[in-house]
Amino acid sequence: MTAFAASAPAKIILCGEHAVVYGQPAIAVPVSSLRVTAQVSPNPAGRAGLYLIASEVMEQVILSANPPYPEDPLALAATLALQHWQLDAPDLTITVKSTIPIASGLGSGAAVTTAVIRALSMALDRPIETTTLNELVYEIEKLHHGTPSGIDNTVIVYEQPVLFVRDHPIERLVIGAPLHVLIGDTGQTALTRVAVGDVRRLYESSSSLIQPILDSIGNLVRESRKAIEHGDAPALGKLMNQNHSYLQQLTVSSPELDFLVTAARNAGALGAKLSGGGRGGNMIALVTPETALSVQSALLKAGAVRVFTTTLKSDPAIT
Ligand code: PMV
């Protein structure tokens, strides 16, 4: 057998995180330059069972026998896929490599699961429908996040800009003109399920205060969609700034995120906000080609451990 490889991208949430858990819309886009790759190859002679090697992602080597270690998301991803195909664990080695920072709001978990199932599907010659893959990845997301909305797996599996509403068919998004986004990493990892759980407690204890914030986020996401479709970056930037204020009110920002957001705005970004679960992880800044360099250096000076650059465009196939 030759080796088979498959990959999946990172993602950012442009607007609507957290409120999306409560049925509001959110907009997410793939970041195709940051990826997880899973390679499936034959086992070395004398090795039996399915080996999952993901040193960069989780710094451990896992032997997935039959049944494997059900509490491990990576082993469970392979197990779920094998159950779906009604197959026993094959004698293969899956090696996972990633350039996506972990636990920082960029969808590393969903990308790993997607890449592993895709690579297995190729190696075992068991084609998998995209909708089925999305459902399997969502099952694993529950281990990472507790009660995920499903936005991460959807944008990563489809690798398209999406307007996502929980339990609704996905709407692909047309991007009217390219959008230039910087992704600034605070370097602090944060567990999305902790932030999501805290927002849930806040919601349950003071829903009359929290519901209007969630509604306002939903409204600004709908406005953002129009701005994106019209290629109106200045309007989108203002909406991103508003979204960040609402996320602060939901208590999911952090001093480090706020510091990077302010630094980006002061250096000329059209807008900036945290992206993803918050409390750490990454923020995003909307820039123009003219301001990109100055905002990037302002972010690094303000303590970002790294800054990624991405340009959001519609897939020509869907415009
Ligand atoms: O995986 P993260 O950190 O990008 O967060 C996903 C977005 C949340 O709205 C915070 C959670 C969810 O399940 O939608």
Side-chain angles (χ1 to χ4, degrees):
M1 179 192 136
T2 47
F4 291 89
S7 72
K11 70 98 205 358
I12 48 174
I13 297 184
L14 279 187
C15 49
E17 55 273 89
H18 286 287
V20 71
V21 175
Y22 300 82
Q24 301 290 343
I27 294 174
V29 294
V31 181
S32 296
S33 53
L34 299 175
R35 301 192 82 82
V36 170
T37 305
Q39 176 162 311
V40 181
S41 40
N43 280 350
R47 191 199 259 181
L50 180 62
Y51 276 68
L52 298 157
I53 301 172
S55 48
E56 287 163 33
V57 182
M58 53 209 315
E59 292 172 9
Q60 59 181 322
V61 178
I62 303 153
L63 165 61
S64 168
N66 205 7
Y69 306 93
E71 72 281 6
D72 182 280
L74 190 55
L76 193 64
T79 309
L80 262 190
L82 292 170
Q83 279 170 355
H84 172 72
W85 296 312
Q86 301 183 333
L87 291 176
D88 290 335
D91 295 337
L92 292 171
T93 298
I94 306 179
T95 309
V96 177
K97 297 210 156 113
S98 177
T99 56
I100 308 176
I102 59 167
S104 56
L106 294 179
S108 156
V112 168
T113 312
T114 305
V116 164
I117 298 180
R118 275 193 183 135
L120 261 182
S121 144
M122 290 160 73
L124 300 173
D125 196 18
R126 291 290 191 286
I128 187 161
E129 296 272 343
T130 310
T131 47
T132 310
L133 175 62
N134 198 23
E135 282 162 20
L136 294 183
V137 181
Y138 180 67
E139 286 305 308
I140 307 299
E141 283 296 283
K142 289 185 191 164
L143 291 184
H144 289 294
H145 286 181
T147 53
S149 64
I151 189 169
D152 277 20
N153 47 287
T154 301
V155 66
I156 285 168
V157 166
Y158 286 89
E159 202 166 346
Q160 294 282 348
V162 294
L163 181 123
F164 179 89
V165 184
R166 200 170 184 160
D167 300 325
H168 282 64
I170 62 162
E171 288 183 50
R172 295 180 186 193
L173 208 69
V174 174
I175 299 177
L179 295 168
H180 305 279
V181 174
L182 301 182
I183 305 169
D185 190 347
T186 61
Q188 291 175 323
T189 56
L191 290 176
T192 298
R193 70 165 168 270
V194 173
V196 169
D198 288 349
V199 174
R200 171 68 61 192
R201 272 182 287 282
L202 206 56
Y203 179 78
E204 279 165 4
S205 63
S206 345
S207 68
S208 59
L209 289 179
I210 300 303
Q211 188 60 53
I213 298 174
L214 302 176
D215 292 341
S216 302
I217 293 176
N219 289 336
L220 76 82
V221 171
R222 284 181 273 271
E223 289 302 311
S224 299
R225 178 195 196 151
K226 286 186 213 154
I228 292 168
E229 288 180 344
H230 295 151
D232 189 347
L236 178 63
K238 286 198 188 105
L239 292 160
M240 286 168 62
N241 289 339
Q242 282 173 23
N243 196 170
H244 187 72
S245 306
Y246 289 128
L247 289 164
Q248 287 173 317
Q249 291 172 40
L250 293 178
T251 75
V252 295
S253 193
S254 69
E256 292 77 11
L257 282 165
D258 289 344
F259 199 60
L260 294 187
V261 164
T262 306
R265 290 177 190 158
N266 289 344
L270 295 168
K273 64 180 278 290
L274 72 86
S275 180
R279 299 271 171 84
N282 282 274
M283 51 72 69
I284 54 174
L286 186 63
V287 296
T288 61
E290 293 73 35
T291 57
L293 270 182
S294 57
V295 176
Q296 180 171 16
S297 63
L299 285 172
L300 290 168
K301 223 163 156 185
V305 294
R306 60 202 139 195
V307 178
F308 303 108
T309 309
T310 186
T311 302
L312 316 179
K313 300 187 255 217
S314 283
D315 181 337
I318 61 156
T319 52

